[in-house]
Amino acid sequence: MTEQPITDAAPQAAGSGEPHRHAHAERSRIPMWLAIVLAVLFGGLTALQSRVNGQLAAAIDDPYSAAAISFGSGLLILLVVLGFWRPGRQGIGRVREGLRARRIAWWMLLGGLAGAWFVTTQGLSAGVLGVALFTVAIVAGQTVGGIFFDVVGLGPGGRRPLTVMRVLGALIALAAISWAVSAQLVHDVPLVLMLLPFVAGIGAAWQQAVNGRVKVEAGSAFTATLTNFAVGTTALVIVVLVHSAIAGWPDALPAEPWLYLGGAIGCVFIAGQAVLVRVVGVLLLALCGVAGQLAAALALDLLLPTSERPVGVATIGGTVLAVVAVVVASIRWTKHKHVAPAPADGSVSRAS
């Protein structure tokens, strides 16, 4: 089965009688309700990847090398598939043409840097802040970034006006994650260390937006994912080389095969997000991710616990509240407002 590029009809000529169409999210053939369900599932895969990568980092006592292994294995998988997947190779050619024609900007190919920065901040600040506070800062950054990039129209769906329900959904999501990890929160932490994951969260929202633009130009989520992993792997290899020159290399790699599945999992949810961001927008995609991550983390803690601490009421309540946030943010009281197609020079779009 091949992937077909998503195209947008040109605006109607005066008196033509044809419907006036714009490049907004509903042009996708994926229904909104299905896109939301899939976005939540992909959020769950993010939590699963975090568990796998976290266990690998603990096994080799080196989060930087673990991140590079995860990205590198994903890139290796994609390069093997590229040899058999013709639409992916065609997508690379379309991206080149898009760059020459200035339909996309060169910096839109750098989404993988945000992923590399995300895993780097885990090593720099998660240990000091604690996983709970680190997660709150990440979600706060994703929420702020999602609102901003939707308003300016960076994503492939164009501008999405800020509404009361979307803001309310974002606030509920922040409350949900704060409640879910309230028992683990620590205090008196350096402000700089809080800013690192907050910026990483903004970067994650930016990554989803630009990956979506690359996917639309390439006509293939595979091409967008390959670009993401190639850039991220390159950045992480540089980080690992610098870190290892200072601290040394890991003594040995673990033998458990499942510890190396992080890259494969990342291939799935990054490709899926590149498709879905056109349908749901950057903000709602981030909120679905929060709900999926909390639900998957809760399931993992119940089925495959890594500590003897029981799952608390706050964790369950926060997960339910995150789902409520997605429902609230997806409510539209008025008809969808048309937006202009993404401009040819790669800049953000304007409302029609």
Side-chain angles (χ1 to χ4, degrees):
M1 184 176 66
T2 60
E3 297 178 70
Q4 299 296 327
I6 300 175
T7 58
D8 297 294
Q12 77 173 50
S16 66
E18 294 296 323
H20 186 61
R21 295 177 180 175
H22 296 289
H24 54 73
E26 283 69 22
R27 287 290 295 150
S28 170
R29 288 168 291 185
I30 303 176
M32 175 63 81
W33 69 267
L34 178 58
I36 290 175
V37 171
L38 290 175
V40 172
L41 292 177
F42 289 137
L45 288 180
T46 306
L48 179 59
Q49 186 200 45
S50 297
R51 172 67 73 90
V52 171
N53 287 346
Q55 294 292 100
L56 176 61
I60 63 177
D61 194 25
D62 186 348
Y64 304 100
S65 295
I69 290 172
S70 178
F71 261 77
S73 62
L75 177 61
L76 180 61
I77 292 170
L78 293 171
L79 289 176
V80 172
V81 174
L82 183 65
F84 304 94
W85 188 248
R86 184 179 178 185
R89 297 194 299 273
Q90 292 174 333
I92 295 174
R94 294 191 190 102
V95 170
R96 291 198 190 102
E97 293 173 3
L99 289 171
R100 285 196 294 266
R102 297 187 177 182
R103 289 191 297 270
I104 59 173
W106 62 268
W107 49 264
M108 292 182 178
L109 303 180
L110 302 181
L113 289 179
W117 172 246
F118 179 90
V119 295
T120 301
T121 58
Q122 287 179 320
L124 292 173
S125 60
V128 178
L129 296 176
V131 175
L133 198 54
F134 179 85
T135 304
V136 170
I138 284 286
V139 172
Q142 283 184 300
T143 303
V144 171
I147 291 175
F148 177 77
F149 296 131
D150 270 351
V151 169
V152 302
L154 178 62
R159 283 187 66 181
R160 293 172 184 267
L162 195 60
T163 65
V164 173
M165 300 309 292
R166 290 165 68 79
V167 172
L168 181 59
L171 294 176
I172 293 175
L174 289 175
I177 192 69
S178 299
W179 186 16
V181 301
S182 58
Q184 308 168 47
L185 293 179
V186 297
H187 304 284
D188 300 326
V189 296
L191 178 60
V192 174
L193 290 183
M194 280 291 293
L195 289 176
L196 291 179
F198 177 77
V199 173
I202 295 177
W206 176 78
Q207 178 187 27
Q208 293 166 351
V210 296
N211 281 354
R213 291 285 287 270
V214 174
K215 186 271 173 188
V216 171
E217 184 62 36
S220 170
F222 177 90
T223 304
T225 308
L226 176 64
T227 303
N228 186 91
F229 271 85
V231 172
T233 300
T234 301
L236 283 170
V237 166
I238 295 173
V239 171
V240 167
L241 290 176
V242 174
H243 174 72
S244 298
I246 299 173
W249 296 92
D251 295 330
L253 295 177
E256 296 87 344
W258 66 271
L259 291 176
Y260 302 96
L261 293 178
I265 297 170
C267 291
V268 175
F269 72 73
I270 290 177
Q273 290 173 341
V275 174
L276 298 178
V277 68
R278 182 171 175 81
V279 186
V280 301
V282 184
L283 174 61
L284 188 53
L285 182 60
L287 300 185
C288 289
V290 171
Q293 288 178 62
L294 286 178
L298 176 61
L300 288 171
D301 284 344
L302 290 173
L303 300 176
L304 299 170
T306 56
S307 68
E308 297 180 356
R309 183 178 57 199
V311 175
V313 175
T315 302
I316 300 174
T319 302
V320 173
L321 193 59
V323 175
V324 172
V326 171
V327 174
V328 170
S330 62
I331 292 176
R332 289 200 300 263
W333 295 107
T334 58
K335 291 184 179 179
H336 184 78
K337 197 173 182 179
H338 287 313
V339 294
D345 61 359
S347 59
V348 296
S349 59
R350 305 296 179 191
S352 58

